[in-house]
Structures are given as C-alpha cells and as structure tokens.
Amino acid sequence: MEALLKKDFYFDLPEELIAQDPLADRSGSRLLVLDKETGAVEHKGFKDIVDYLHAGDCLVLNNTKVIPARLMGVKKDTGAAIEVLLLKRRENDVWETLVKPGKKAREGAEILFGGGVLTGKVIDVVEEGNRLIQFSYEGIFEEVIDRLGEMPLPPYITHKLQDKNRYQTVYAKYEGSAAAPTAGLHFTQELLKKAEEKGVRIVYVTLHVGLGTFRPMKEDNLLNHHMHSEFYQITDEAAKTINDTKQAGGRVICVGTTSCRTIESAADENGSVHAGSGNTEIFIYPGYRFKVLDNLITNFHLPESTLIMLVSALAGRENVLNAYKTAVQKKYRFFSFGDAMLIL
C-alpha cells in the first residue's frame, strides 16, 4: 500500500460555509446520509435520523462536558493582558495551560483573574511551551471558573457565543473537555426519547476532548503523525450493552469521532469492549479495521484533519471527498456548529 499523504485529504472549502453560530433549533440542521459501500448520498434533515435507527441498535454518545476554560487575566506586576486556556488538570489546583502571549508568562509570573477572585502562578514551562499554573481561590474551583471563564471555541469561529449551553450537548455530564463533541450538539432530549421508544439502546461513554483536536497536522506522511492523548472512561454497563448488541447482531452507531475513538480504544482484537479508563492516542485512518463501530453520525471536518481521515477509514476516501464536494455545492454548513452526516 502506497504512503498516505496529508494532501490526499484536502478539499476546497469556501469560508462562508463555516458555521459561525448555532441554529436556534438544535435538531434543525441538515443531514447528509452517505452509503459507505456505494458512495450514494441522500439529503435529509437531522430530525430524520430516527428513521435510520432500528430496534436492537446501540447509539453511543460522549457525555463529556466542556469547561469554560478560556480565562482573561492581567499580570500582577505590570497589568499586561494575558489569556490562559486550561488544557489538563494535573493535580489539585495545578493545570497545564496554553498562555498568550507566552513571553509574559515566565516561571514565577503571577496572573490575576476577575480582579483577584482567582490568581495563578506559573510554576513550570513544559512541552510545546505550555505552562503549569498553580491556582489559588476561595470556594469551589468549578464555580469560580464558571463565573469567570468563557467557552474555548475553535479558532475558526470568530463570533462570540451568546449562550454557553449551546456549546454543550443536552446530555453533557462530566467536566473535562476543552472542546465539545460536536456531532452530539444536534440531539435534543425529544429525539433521544424517540430513538429509545423505537427500541434503540442508548449508552454513554466519556472522552475528554483536548485542543489537540484542532492542531493542524505537521507531518506530510500519515505514518509519521503522533496523535495527542485524551482521557476516556467506559462503565461496566456501557461495555456490556455494546457487547450484547454486537452478539445479538445489532449495529453499534457512534455519535461523533470521540465516541468512536473511545470504543475502538477499549476493544480487544475480538471486538469485545472492556470497561475501564485510560488515555488514548488512537489514530484511525484508511486501512484501519474497525473492531466495534458499524456506523457513524458526525459533522463535516476540516481539510487535511485527522477527523476527515477517520471518516475516510470508515467510508473510503473517494466516497468521503465526493460527499464533501456535494455538501459544498449544496451549501451545507461546516464544522462545530454546522450540519451533520450519517455514514451507513
């Protein structure tokens, strides 16, 4: 098999198709249905998703919750503006962060947020220039962050988000993500209830999405790319339901690439999913053999991104690029607040 190159996953996307704001109705987005065997495409509305789900199927959703991780502060000694993005909790009140501008945040620098309600001290500079910051505050950290922080929207979204909840799924539960599992943003409680009434089993797994998901791939050859690490957790109940579904001949349908990466990371070679938690660096690209997943509900992804590579592993690169070309012609909305795709 010849080497797969990043440029093999390029497509031309007009900037005006990048969705800047969420729709008023979560489930009001469009749905492109792609047949992974034939490459045939259908155009539907997201509310039609239930028509494609059958009794005995298992729908896997990622119940991670985005933390309002973008903090605007000032340097204690000079008053210079500093932006801090919380990436990963290390221990207690120490976080790995991304700081802009980095040169103002040398070791020992103190940063004030909300007039001093929260203070941070840079205690170390780690890989890729990220800073370890020790935070001090009174009360509960999550409540302080909720008050002071903003949602860390992806770099391609330039509009300010009016309602924080629109960058959360309706089933978000466990805090820890720096970005939303966006395929899930289309679901309402009503749609999930309709699916359940139809006999679809719904299970929740957790994968805390890191900002590495937006980092452009630096390597031209896919084999040289190293994926960022993300924490995941699968309960005994979720693992059992997924395994029971497979054994009974039902389909496992993941909502989003994060749910897909979670169950594929937790599965053994026989396709059995094991409960537990850990960090995954799984990189799925064409040639990958799926162990558990049958179908996928996903959004439209960036050109040359690891996400379009994952989708291409499932549906074939040619089929995916043709479907994307059609989506551009039909003016589908792209990326986080955009429309959805169902790969059958």
Side-chain angles (χ1 to χ4, degrees):
M1 186 173 153
E2 58 186 77
L4 280 171
L5 302 175
K6 182 173 74 171
K7 66 178 171 53
D8 296 335
F9 299 88
Y10 178 80
F11 64 93
D12 196 29
L13 180 70
E15 205 172 306
E16 67 266 19
L17 295 185
I18 299 172
Q20 291 293 335
D21 302 288
L23 294 177
D25 171 12
R26 277 181 187 270
S27 58
S29 48
R30 293 159 78 187
L31 179 69
L32 185 147
V33 183
L34 171 64
D35 183 316
K36 64 178 189 274
E37 305 304 329
T38 66
V41 160
E42 285 183 279
H43 303 286
K44 298 285 183 176
F46 194 80
K47 288 185 175 77
D48 299 322
I49 196 83
V50 181
D51 298 342
Y52 292 91
L53 305 175
H54 310 313
D57 287 344
C58 177
L59 199 60
V60 184
L61 302 127
N62 180 7
N63 61 8
T64 186
K65 195 171 187 181
V66 187
I67 50 176
R70 196 163 166 247
L71 295 165
M72 313 309 274
V74 294
K75 208 169 161 199
K76 189 178 178 182
D77 55 357
T78 64
I82 288 190
E83 181 183 327
V84 172
L85 203 53
L86 304 176
L87 297 179
K88 203 179 280 180
R89 180 174 281 190
R90 287 292 188 93
E91 62 277 328
N92 302 328
D93 293 314
V94 175
W95 282 75
E96 185 176 336
T97 67
L98 188 65
V99 178
K100 288 196 291 193
K103 60 178 185 291
K104 288 184 181 161
R106 295 198 172 91
E107 210 172 312
E110 288 188 70
I111 307 163
L112 306 178
F113 306 93
V117 172
L118 177 69
T119 59
K121 186 174 183 179
V122 179
I123 57 172
D124 200 2
V125 179
V126 291
E127 58 186 314
E128 295 184 352
N130 291 349
R131 269 52 176 177
L132 290 189
I133 293 183
Q134 170 92 52
F135 287 101
S136 320
Y137 53 91
E138 280 184 18
I140 298 166
F141 185 74
E142 283 72 18
E143 287 178 4
V144 174
I145 293 299
D146 206 44
R147 205 162 71 243
L148 300 180
E150 293 175 19
M151 283 299 184
L153 293 178
Y156 47 76
I157 292 177
T158 54
H159 291 190
K160 195 170 167 61
L161 185 63
Q162 299 306 315
D163 175 6
K164 272 185 192 176
N165 288 327
R166 289 312 309 276
Y167 195 57
Q168 301 280 21
T169 60
V170 296
Y171 46 80
K173 191 172 182 183
Y174 299 110
E175 293 188 320
S177 272
T182 53
L185 295 177
H186 305 282
F187 277 95
T188 58
Q189 294 294 4
E190 184 191 7
L191 272 181
L192 291 170
K193 190 163 173 277
K194 277 186 181 169
E196 276 188 308
E197 284 167 355
K198 210 173 169 184
V200 176
R201 301 163 172 188
I202 294 177
V203 303
Y204 296 95
V205 297
T206 308
L207 180 134
H208 292 324
V209 189
L211 280 183
T213 192
F214 301 120
R215 281 211 185 103
M217 188 188 271
K218 293 194 175 100
E219 301 289 347
D220 289 327
N221 185 333
L222 269 61
L223 297 179
N224 298 332
H225 176 67
H226 181 68
M227 278 295 270
H228 55 285
S229 174
E230 291 171 321
F231 174 83
Y232 75 88
Q233 193 156 23
I234 297 183
T235 62
D236 290 329
E237 185 190 0
K240 184 180 185 310
T241 304
I242 294 167
N243 293 334
D244 288 352
T245 299
K246 293 297 274 190
Q247 277 160 9
R251 299 176 302 171
V252 172
I253 303 165
C254 282
V255 176
T257 55
T258 61
S259 303
C260 163
R261 291 178 67 237
T262 304
I263 64 169
E264 290 293 316
S265 298
D268 60 27
E269 286 312 310
N270 301 319
S272 185
V273 174
H274 296 271
S277 62
N279 291 299
T280 179
E281 295 176 355
I282 192 170
F283 179 23
I284 297 175
Y285 55 88
Y288 179 85
R289 190 177 63 82
F290 287 88
K291 296 176 282 197
V292 191
L293 173 126
D294 295 298
N295 305 108
L296 180 68
I297 297 166
T298 186
N299 276 21
F300 290 93
H301 305 295
L302 278 78
E304 299 184 338
S305 63
T306 58
L307 304 177
I308 194 171
M309 292 166 193
L310 183 154
V311 173
S312 298
L314 180 63
R317 187 176 70 91
E318 294 296 323
N319 287 348
V320 168
L321 290 177
N322 284 335
Y324 271 53
K325 198 173 172 182
T326 304
V328 168
Q329 286 165 353
K330 298 268 187 193
K331 298 209 170 351
Y332 273 72
R333 300 163 77 247
F334 274 68
F335 307 162
S336 297
F337 289 138
D339 294 315
M341 184 188 223
L342 167 63
I343 299 173
L344 284 177

